[in-house]
Amino acid sequence: MRGLRNGSILKRQLFDALRVASVIVLLVSSVASKGLGGQEERARALRVLFVGNSLTYTNDLPAIVEALAEAAGAARPSCKAVVAGGYSLEDHWNQGTARKVIAQGGWDVVVLQQGPSASTEGRASLLEYARRFAEEIRRAGARPALYMVWPSTQRKGDFDGVVESYKQAAEETKGLLFPAGEAWRAAWRRNPKLALYSADGLHPTPAGSYLAALTIYQQLYAQTPNGLPASFKLRNGMKIEIPPEEARLLQEAAAEANRKFAR
């Protein structure tokens, strides 16, 4: 009798253990299918809004992100932009269009970008208006993200300040950080001759925008940028063509920057 009783107890314990394990599996599966980078996000089209200036609209960065995602097998995201040349986040806040578009809702991520913001005044402005926008973004059901840019060629010594400003803004808003500027530096460590600046010494070449888009793609989908195409056409008809060896280098640089700074 004692043996039968012990056997019954063991069976109950095994059943309870299996039941607990099945609940854990269900919870893990539920978590894995939600949030940026989950299978759900690859199956449906993410909606991403960019708020920024010419460092966003040069070479149509949002369209490059769309093309990379589609090439990787994800549902093509819907990337929209509220952009104006020379605008800071304060300018966007006061002008009002960006806030109205955010309030319409339906966004998954809203990407915020202004100039390098390495100076004391620039950093203070970035932090203040990133916080203001982040409140509006979360109220609309989306997540804020900061798109870290780069200084001009005349102020290359400001790179550390740019990184710190955008890092602080992402931390204070509990948002994503797309470290494009740091990815540029990682690329130059591999090949100092890479042409990421255009002739004006501030705006990106197609390769510079491609590198920025790689950092954004990796975090939106939690997928490595390695192996993404180096040649593709954008929705506006513009063709992006990066030499294959250079593209591999840029992909490695994006992954390095994200390992170091991604939130």
Side-chain angles (χ1 to χ4, degrees), residues 81-139:
V82 179
V83 288
Y87 260 38
S88 65
L89 291 180
E90 180 178 4
D91 293 327
H92 276 295
W93 182 268
N94 293 333
Q95 194 274 336
T97 299
R99 283 192 284 160
K100 290 177 183 177
V101 176
I102 291 168
Q104 291 171 2
W107 305 108
D108 293 294
V109 179
V110 178
V111 184
L112 304 173
Q113 174 263 315
Q114 64 176 32
S117 307
S119 68
T120 301
E121 298 79 7
R123 180 176 298 173
S125 177
L126 176 65
L127 295 177
E128 171 66 22
Y129 286 91
R131 283 193 294 263
R132 293 194 189 191
F133 269 110
E135 291 178 3
E136 300 291 319
I137 292 164
R138 293 190 187 281
R139 189 175 296 119

Side-chain angles (χ1 to χ4, degrees), residues 9 77 149 260:
I9 291 171
V149 291
K260 189 174 181 181

Side-chain angles (χ1 to χ4, degrees), residues 18-33:
L18 289 171
R19 185 171 57 184
V20 170
S22 67
V23 171
I24 292 172
V25 169
L26 286 171
L27 287 172
V28 171
S29 298
S30 175
V31 171
S33 68

Side-chain angles (χ1 to χ4, degrees), residues 38-249:
Q39 292 179 353
E40 182 179 305
E41 274 58 40
R42 293 186 66 76
R44 70 177 180 84
L46 287 176
R47 297 195 70 226
V48 183
L49 176 66
F50 288 79
V51 177
N53 55 37
S54 56
L55 297 182
T56 290
Y57 70 67
T58 296
N59 303 314
D60 202 344
L61 174 66
I64 298 177
V65 174
E66 285 184 346
L68 290 175
E70 186 175 43
R76 190 182 185 99
S78 175
C79 294
K80 306 297 182 184
V82 179
V83 288
Y87 260 38
S88 65
L89 291 180
E90 180 178 4
D91 293 327
H92 276 295
W93 182 268
N94 293 333
Q95 194 274 336
T97 299
R99 283 192 284 160
K100 290 177 183 177
V101 176
I102 291 168
Q104 291 171 2
W107 305 108
D108 293 294
V109 179
V110 178
V111 184
L112 304 173
Q113 174 263 315
Q114 64 176 32
S117 307
S119 68
T120 301
E121 298 79 7
R123 180 176 298 173
S125 177
L126 176 65
L127 295 177
E128 171 66 22
Y129 286 91
R131 283 193 294 263
R132 293 194 189 191
F133 269 110
E135 291 178 3
E136 300 291 319
I137 292 164
R138 293 190 187 281
R139 189 175 296 119
R143 186 172 184 183
L146 275 296
Y147 163 31
M148 178 201 296
V149 291
W150 47 83
S152 68
T153 53
Q154 294 179 336
R155 302 188 64 88
K156 275 195 171 181
D158 286 348
F159 255 104
D160 285 341
V162 175
V163 170
E164 185 60 29
S165 293
Y166 277 87
K167 181 182 174 184
Q168 285 188 27
E171 289 172 349
E172 292 198 17
T173 59
K174 295 181 173 59
L176 297 166
L177 177 60
F178 301 145
E182 185 60 29
W184 279 33
R185 288 206 288 188
W188 280 323
R189 284 194 291 272
R190 290 163 168 80
N191 181 357
K193 296 182 179 180
L194 284 172
L196 302 179
Y197 285 111
S198 64
D200 68 6
L202 175 61
H203 292 92
T205 60
S209 294
Y210 175 77
L211 179 50
L214 291 170
T215 67
I216 296 171
Y217 162 81
Q218 183 176 7
Q219 289 197 59
L220 289 180
Y221 293 97
Q223 299 290 321
T224 177
N226 295 326
L228 287 173
S231 177
F232 47 87
K233 187 175 288 187
L234 305 185
R235 60 189 175 191
N236 63 7
M238 176 182 176
K239 191 166 185 182
I240 300 292
E241 292 185 284
I242 310 295
E245 188 170 333
E246 182 177 320
R248 284 193 293 272
L249 185 155

